[in-house]
mmCIF file of all heavy atoms in Angstrom:
data_model
loop_
_atom_site.group_PDB
_atom_site.id
_atom_site.type_symbol
_atom_site.label_atom_id
_atom_site.label_comp_id
_atom_site.label_asym_id
_atom_site.label_seq_id
_atom_site.Cartn_x
_atom_site.Cartn_y
_atom_site.Cartn_z
ATOM 1 N N ARG A 76 17.451 -12.564 8.574
ATOM 2 C CA ARG A 76 17.244 -11.767 7.369
ATOM 3 C C ARG A 76 16.294 -12.494 6.432
ATOM 4 O O ARG A 76 16.511 -13.666 6.102
ATOM 5 C CB ARG A 76 18.582 -11.516 6.679
ATOM 6 C CG ARG A 76 18.451 -10.688 5.420
ATOM 7 C CD ARG A 76 19.798 -10.489 4.769
ATOM 8 N NE ARG A 76 19.645 -9.851 3.481
ATOM 9 C CZ ARG A 76 20.250 -8.726 3.140
ATOM 10 N NH1 ARG A 76 21.064 -8.143 4.000
ATOM 11 N NH2 ARG A 76 20.064 -8.204 1.957
ATOM 12 N N LEU A 77 15.270 -11.796 6.010
ATOM 13 C CA LEU A 77 14.310 -12.328 5.051
ATOM 14 C C LEU A 77 14.357 -11.455 3.805
ATOM 15 O O LEU A 77 13.947 -10.301 3.828
ATOM 16 C CB LEU A 77 12.885 -12.332 5.635
ATOM 17 C CG LEU A 77 11.792 -12.833 4.707
ATOM 18 C CD1 LEU A 77 12.005 -14.304 4.359
ATOM 19 C CD2 LEU A 77 10.433 -12.636 5.339
ATOM 20 N N ASP A 78 14.895 -11.999 2.719
ATOM 21 C CA ASP A 78 14.956 -11.292 1.445
ATOM 22 C C ASP A 78 13.694 -11.616 0.655
ATOM 23 O O ASP A 78 13.342 -12.785 0.487
ATOM 24 C CB ASP A 78 16.191 -11.713 0.645
ATOM 25 C CG ASP A 78 17.479 -11.295 1.326
ATOM 26 O OD1 ASP A 78 17.612 -10.098 1.624
ATOM 27 O OD2 ASP A 78 18.340 -12.164 1.581
ATOM 28 N N VAL A 79 13.039 -10.568 0.166
ATOM 29 C CA VAL A 79 11.806 -10.735 -0.599
ATOM 30 C C VAL A 79 12.065 -10.228 -2.013
ATOM 31 O O VAL A 79 12.371 -9.054 -2.211
ATOM 32 C CB VAL A 79 10.640 -9.948 0.045
ATOM 33 C CG1 VAL A 79 9.365 -10.168 -0.739
ATOM 34 C CG2 VAL A 79 10.462 -10.347 1.500
ATOM 35 N N ALA A 80 11.942 -11.135 -2.983
ATOM 36 C CA ALA A 80 12.153 -10.764 -4.387
ATOM 37 C C ALA A 80 10.893 -10.112 -4.949
ATOM 38 O O ALA A 80 9.803 -10.257 -4.395
ATOM 39 C CB ALA A 80 12.518 -12.001 -5.206
ATOM 40 N N ALA A 81 11.056 -9.394 -6.036
ATOM 41 C CA ALA A 81 9.925 -8.704 -6.663
ATOM 42 C C ALA A 81 8.883 -9.687 -7.182
ATOM 43 O O ALA A 81 7.696 -9.393 -7.210
ATOM 44 C CB ALA A 81 10.417 -7.808 -7.795
ATOM 45 N N ASN A 82 9.323 -10.887 -7.565
ATOM 46 C CA ASN A 82 8.386 -11.894 -8.065
ATOM 47 C C ASN A 82 7.771 -12.725 -6.945
ATOM 48 O O ASN A 82 7.018 -13.648 -7.205
ATOM 49 C CB ASN A 82 9.065 -12.808 -9.077
ATOM 50 C CG ASN A 82 10.221 -13.587 -8.468
ATOM 51 O OD1 ASN A 82 10.519 -13.472 -7.285
ATOM 52 N ND2 ASN A 82 10.863 -14.380 -9.299
ATOM 53 N N GLY A 83 8.112 -12.429 -5.683
ATOM 54 C CA GLY A 83 7.533 -13.136 -4.544
ATOM 55 C C GLY A 83 8.433 -14.192 -3.955
ATOM 56 O O GLY A 83 8.063 -14.833 -2.968
ATOM 57 N N GLY A 84 9.593 -14.418 -4.528
ATOM 58 C CA GLY A 84 10.518 -15.408 -3.986
ATOM 59 C C GLY A 84 11.086 -14.971 -2.644
ATOM 60 O O GLY A 84 11.296 -13.782 -2.391
ATOM 61 N N LEU A 85 11.332 -15.944 -1.759
ATOM 62 C CA LEU A 85 11.821 -15.653 -0.414
ATOM 63 C C LEU A 85 13.144 -16.354 -0.158
ATOM 64 O O LEU A 85 13.383 -17.457 -0.647
ATOM 65 C CB LEU A 85 10.802 -16.122 0.632
ATOM 66 C CG LEU A 85 9.397 -15.536 0.541
ATOM 67 C CD1 LEU A 85 8.497 -16.205 1.558
ATOM 68 C CD2 LEU A 85 9.448 -14.052 0.774
ATOM 69 N N ARG A 86 13.992 -15.711 0.625
ATOM 70 C CA ARG A 86 15.242 -16.311 1.095
ATOM 71 C C ARG A 86 15.374 -15.964 2.569
ATOM 72 O O ARG A 86 15.417 -14.804 2.931
ATOM 73 C CB ARG A 86 16.426 -15.783 0.320
ATOM 74 C CG ARG A 86 16.410 -16.167 -1.163
ATOM 75 C CD ARG A 86 17.586 -15.602 -1.920
ATOM 76 N NE ARG A 86 18.833 -16.265 -1.613
ATOM 77 C CZ ARG A 86 19.261 -17.406 -2.139
ATOM 78 N NH1 ARG A 86 18.514 -18.004 -3.029
ATOM 79 N NH2 ARG A 86 20.411 -17.926 -1.813
ATOM 80 N N LEU A 87 15.426 -16.971 3.415
ATOM 81 C CA LEU A 87 15.595 -16.777 4.850
ATOM 82 C C LEU A 87 17.047 -17.045 5.196
ATOM 83 O O LEU A 87 17.515 -18.174 5.114
ATOM 84 C CB LEU A 87 14.664 -17.704 5.629
ATOM 85 C CG LEU A 87 14.672 -17.566 7.138
ATOM 86 C CD1 LEU A 87 14.248 -16.164 7.558
ATOM 87 C CD2 LEU A 87 13.763 -18.601 7.775
ATOM 88 N N ASP A 88 17.769 -16.001 5.557
ATOM 89 C CA ASP A 88 19.208 -16.061 5.833
ATOM 90 C C ASP A 88 19.985 -16.685 4.671
ATOM 91 O O ASP A 88 20.871 -17.509 4.850
ATOM 92 C CB ASP A 88 19.492 -16.816 7.132
ATOM 93 C CG ASP A 88 19.193 -15.967 8.350
ATOM 94 O OD1 ASP A 88 19.157 -14.725 8.222
ATOM 95 O OD2 ASP A 88 18.997 -16.534 9.442
ATOM 96 N N GLY A 89 19.606 -16.302 3.446
ATOM 97 C CA GLY A 89 20.313 -16.751 2.263
ATOM 98 C C GLY A 89 19.847 -18.075 1.704
ATOM 99 O O GLY A 89 20.293 -18.487 0.643
ATOM 100 N N VAL A 90 18.969 -18.780 2.398
ATOM 101 C CA VAL A 90 18.477 -20.082 1.951
ATOM 102 C C VAL A 90 17.090 -19.903 1.343
ATOM 103 O O VAL A 90 16.217 -19.291 1.972
ATOM 104 C CB VAL A 90 18.407 -21.071 3.139
ATOM 105 C CG1 VAL A 90 17.872 -22.414 2.689
ATOM 106 C CG2 VAL A 90 19.766 -21.218 3.794
ATOM 107 N N PRO A 91 16.858 -20.391 0.109
ATOM 108 C CA PRO A 91 15.520 -20.261 -0.489
ATOM 109 C C PRO A 91 14.463 -20.909 0.393
ATOM 110 O O PRO A 91 14.680 -21.972 0.983
ATOM 111 C CB PRO A 91 15.642 -20.991 -1.819
ATOM 112 C CG PRO A 91 17.095 -20.992 -2.127
ATOM 113 C CD PRO A 91 17.804 -21.029 -0.807
ATOM 114 N N CYS A 92 13.331 -20.230 0.505
ATOM 115 C CA CYS A 92 12.264 -20.692 1.390
ATOM 116 C C CYS A 92 10.926 -20.519 0.686
ATOM 117 O O CYS A 92 10.582 -19.402 0.305
ATOM 118 C CB CYS A 92 12.304 -19.888 2.689
ATOM 119 S SG CYS A 92 11.035 -20.341 3.868
ATOM 120 N N PRO A 93 10.150 -21.601 0.517
ATOM 121 C CA PRO A 93 8.826 -21.445 -0.079
ATOM 122 C C PRO A 93 7.867 -20.754 0.893
ATOM 123 O O PRO A 93 8.086 -20.764 2.105
ATOM 124 C CB PRO A 93 8.381 -22.881 -0.373
ATOM 125 C CG PRO A 93 9.226 -23.741 0.486
ATOM 126 C CD PRO A 93 10.490 -22.998 0.768
ATOM 127 N N HIS A 94 6.821 -20.156 0.352
ATOM 128 C CA HIS A 94 5.866 -19.406 1.186
ATOM 129 C C HIS A 94 5.220 -20.280 2.251
ATOM 130 O O HIS A 94 5.042 -19.835 3.387
ATOM 131 C CB HIS A 94 4.763 -18.783 0.310
ATOM 132 C CG HIS A 94 5.224 -17.573 -0.419
ATOM 133 N ND1 HIS A 94 5.073 -16.317 0.070
ATOM 134 C CD2 HIS A 94 5.839 -17.435 -1.614
ATOM 135 C CE1 HIS A 94 5.565 -15.437 -0.785
ATOM 136 N NE2 HIS A 94 6.039 -16.097 -1.820
ATOM 137 N N ASP A 95 4.853 -21.509 1.885
ATOM 138 C CA ASP A 95 4.143 -22.354 2.845
ATOM 139 C C ASP A 95 5.036 -22.857 3.977
ATOM 140 O O ASP A 95 4.541 -23.253 5.025
ATOM 141 C CB ASP A 95 3.464 -23.526 2.135
ATOM 142 C CG ASP A 95 4.435 -24.326 1.266
ATOM 143 O OD1 ASP A 95 5.599 -23.899 1.127
ATOM 144 O OD2 ASP A 95 4.014 -25.363 0.733
ATOM 145 N N ALA A 96 6.348 -22.825 3.799
ATOM 146 C CA ALA A 96 7.258 -23.279 4.852
ATOM 147 C C ALA A 96 7.840 -22.120 5.662
ATOM 148 O O ALA A 96 8.567 -22.354 6.629
ATOM 149 C CB ALA A 96 8.398 -24.092 4.246
ATOM 150 N N LEU A 97 7.512 -20.894 5.303
ATOM 151 C CA LEU A 97 8.104 -19.741 5.978
ATOM 152 C C LEU A 97 7.732 -19.682 7.452
ATOM 153 O O LEU A 97 8.595 -19.480 8.308
ATOM 154 C CB LEU A 97 7.691 -18.439 5.278
ATOM 155 C CG LEU A 97 8.220 -17.157 5.914
ATOM 156 C CD1 LEU A 97 9.735 -17.105 5.819
ATOM 157 C CD2 LEU A 97 7.593 -15.941 5.270
ATOM 158 N N VAL A 98 6.481 -19.890 7.779
ATOM 159 C CA VAL A 98 6.038 -19.776 9.169
ATOM 160 C C VAL A 98 6.703 -20.839 10.038
ATOM 161 O O VAL A 98 7.192 -20.537 11.128
ATOM 162 C CB VAL A 98 4.493 -19.873 9.247
ATOM 163 C CG1 VAL A 98 4.031 -19.895 10.691
ATOM 164 C CG2 VAL A 98 3.855 -18.711 8.510
ATOM 165 N N THR A 99 6.784 -22.074 9.550
ATOM 166 C CA THR A 99 7.389 -23.130 10.363
ATOM 167 C C THR A 99 8.891 -22.901 10.540
ATOM 168 O O THR A 99 9.427 -23.107 11.623
ATOM 169 C CB THR A 99 7.136 -24.514 9.734
ATOM 170 O OG1 THR A 99 7.613 -24.511 8.389
ATOM 171 C CG2 THR A 99 5.659 -24.840 9.756
ATOM 172 N N ARG A 100 9.563 -22.455 9.485
ATOM 173 C CA ARG A 100 11.008 -22.199 9.600
ATOM 174 C C ARG A 100 11.287 -21.013 10.528
ATOM 175 O O ARG A 100 12.236 -21.041 11.311
ATOM 176 C CB ARG A 100 11.625 -21.953 8.232
ATOM 177 C CG ARG A 100 11.715 -23.205 7.393
ATOM 178 C CD ARG A 100 12.447 -22.948 6.109
ATOM 179 N NE ARG A 100 12.422 -24.117 5.254
ATOM 180 C CZ ARG A 100 12.979 -24.172 4.066
ATOM 181 N NH1 ARG A 100 13.596 -23.113 3.575
ATOM 182 N NH2 ARG A 100 12.911 -25.271 3.348
ATOM 183 N N LEU A 101 10.453 -19.978 10.419
ATOM 184 C CA LEU A 101 10.638 -18.830 11.311
ATOM 185 C C LEU A 101 10.372 -19.209 12.760
ATOM 186 O O LEU A 101 11.091 -18.771 13.665
ATOM 187 C CB LEU A 101 9.714 -17.681 10.900
ATOM 188 C CG LEU A 101 10.245 -16.720 9.870
ATOM 189 C CD1 LEU A 101 9.186 -15.686 9.520
ATOM 190 C CD2 LEU A 101 11.494 -16.028 10.351
ATOM 191 N N ARG A 102 9.346 -20.003 13.002
ATOM 192 C CA ARG A 102 9.063 -20.445 14.382
ATOM 193 C C ARG A 102 10.244 -21.210 14.953
ATOM 194 O O ARG A 102 10.621 -21.019 16.107
ATOM 195 C CB ARG A 102 7.811 -21.312 14.410
ATOM 196 C CG ARG A 102 6.548 -20.539 14.414
ATOM 197 C CD ARG A 102 5.348 -21.428 14.619
ATOM 198 N NE ARG A 102 4.134 -20.634 14.501
ATOM 199 C CZ ARG A 102 2.971 -21.107 14.166
ATOM 200 N NH1 ARG A 102 2.823 -22.389 13.914
ATOM 201 N NH2 ARG A 102 1.928 -20.327 14.092
ATOM 202 N N ALA A 103 10.821 -22.100 14.142
ATOM 203 C CA ALA A 103 11.965 -22.881 14.618
ATOM 204 C C ALA A 103 13.157 -21.980 14.912
ATOM 205 O O ALA A 103 13.833 -22.137 15.942
ATOM 206 C CB ALA A 103 12.333 -23.947 13.589
ATOM 207 N N ARG A 104 13.433 -21.027 14.026
ATOM 208 C CA ARG A 104 14.575 -20.114 14.238
ATOM 209 C C ARG A 104 14.346 -19.198 15.426
ATOM 210 O O ARG A 104 15.267 -18.926 16.199
ATOM 211 C CB ARG A 104 14.814 -19.277 12.982
ATOM 212 C CG ARG A 104 15.263 -20.057 11.767
ATOM 213 C CD ARG A 104 16.681 -20.626 11.935
ATOM 214 N NE ARG A 104 17.671 -19.619 12.234
ATOM 215 C CZ ARG A 104 18.338 -18.912 11.337
ATOM 216 N NH1 ARG A 104 18.125 -19.118 10.063
ATOM 217 N NH2 ARG A 104 19.227 -18.019 11.709
ATOM 218 N N LEU A 105 13.112 -18.718 15.590
ATOM 219 C CA LEU A 105 12.825 -17.835 16.723
ATOM 220 C C LEU A 105 12.823 -18.585 18.044
ATOM 221 O O LEU A 105 13.155 -18.022 19.091
ATOM 222 C CB LEU A 105 11.483 -17.124 16.512
ATOM 223 C CG LEU A 105 11.466 -16.095 15.379
ATOM 224 C CD1 LEU A 105 10.048 -15.631 15.106
ATOM 225 C CD2 LEU A 105 12.361 -14.925 15.721
ATOM 226 N N ALA A 106 12.473 -19.867 18.014
ATOM 227 C CA ALA A 106 12.546 -20.671 19.238
ATOM 228 C C ALA A 106 13.997 -20.933 19.614
ATOM 229 O O ALA A 106 14.343 -20.961 20.792
ATOM 230 C CB ALA A 106 11.797 -21.992 19.045
ATOM 231 N N ALA A 107 14.861 -21.111 18.609
ATOM 232 C CA ALA A 107 16.280 -21.343 18.887
ATOM 233 C C ALA A 107 16.976 -20.068 19.345
ATOM 234 O O ALA A 107 17.890 -20.123 20.172
ATOM 235 C CB ALA A 107 16.971 -21.901 17.639
ATOM 236 N N GLU A 108 16.554 -18.926 18.831
ATOM 237 C CA GLU A 108 17.159 -17.637 19.187
ATOM 238 C C GLU A 108 16.067 -16.668 19.627
ATOM 239 O O GLU A 108 15.652 -15.798 18.867
ATOM 240 C CB GLU A 108 17.919 -17.060 17.989
ATOM 241 C CG GLU A 108 19.033 -17.921 17.490
ATOM 242 C CD GLU A 108 19.662 -17.362 16.220
ATOM 243 O OE1 GLU A 108 19.432 -16.177 15.915
ATOM 244 O OE2 GLU A 108 20.361 -18.115 15.542
ATOM 245 N N PRO A 109 15.568 -16.797 20.852
ATOM 246 C CA PRO A 109 14.490 -15.907 21.286
ATOM 247 C C PRO A 109 14.976 -14.452 21.377
ATOM 248 O O PRO A 109 16.122 -14.178 21.701
ATOM 249 C CB PRO A 109 14.095 -16.443 22.660
ATOM 250 C CG PRO A 109 15.244 -17.264 23.112
ATOM 251 C CD PRO A 109 15.967 -17.737 21.888
ATOM 252 N N GLY A 110 14.072 -13.539 21.064
ATOM 253 C CA GLY A 110 14.409 -12.119 21.126
ATOM 254 C C GLY A 110 15.144 -11.599 19.916
ATOM 255 O O GLY A 110 15.572 -10.449 19.897
ATOM 256 N N SER A 111 15.301 -12.417 18.886
ATOM 257 C CA SER A 111 16.014 -11.942 17.700
ATOM 258 C C SER A 111 15.092 -11.083 16.842
ATOM 259 O O SER A 111 13.879 -11.184 16.886
ATOM 260 C CB SER A 111 16.560 -13.126 16.894
ATOM 261 O OG SER A 111 15.512 -13.976 16.519
ATOM 262 N N THR A 112 15.705 -10.227 16.057
ATOM 263 C CA THR A 112 14.976 -9.311 15.187
ATOM 264 C C THR A 112 14.942 -9.883 13.780
ATOM 265 O O THR A 112 15.951 -10.343 13.270
ATOM 266 C CB THR A 112 15.671 -7.938 15.167
ATOM 267 O OG1 THR A 112 15.739 -7.433 16.492
ATOM 268 C CG2 THR A 112 14.915 -6.959 14.297
#
Side-chain angles (χ1 to χ4, degrees):
R76 180 181 173 124
L77 178 64
D78 294 306
V79 182
N82 62 1
L85 302 175
R86 295 179 73 82
L87 183 61
D88 283 339
V90 179
C92 179
H94 283 267
D95 53 354
L97 178 65
V98 174
T99 55
R100 288 185 185 180
L101 272 177
R102 279 187 185 155
R104 294 292 304 273
L105 291 170
E108 300 174 16
S111 58
T112 302

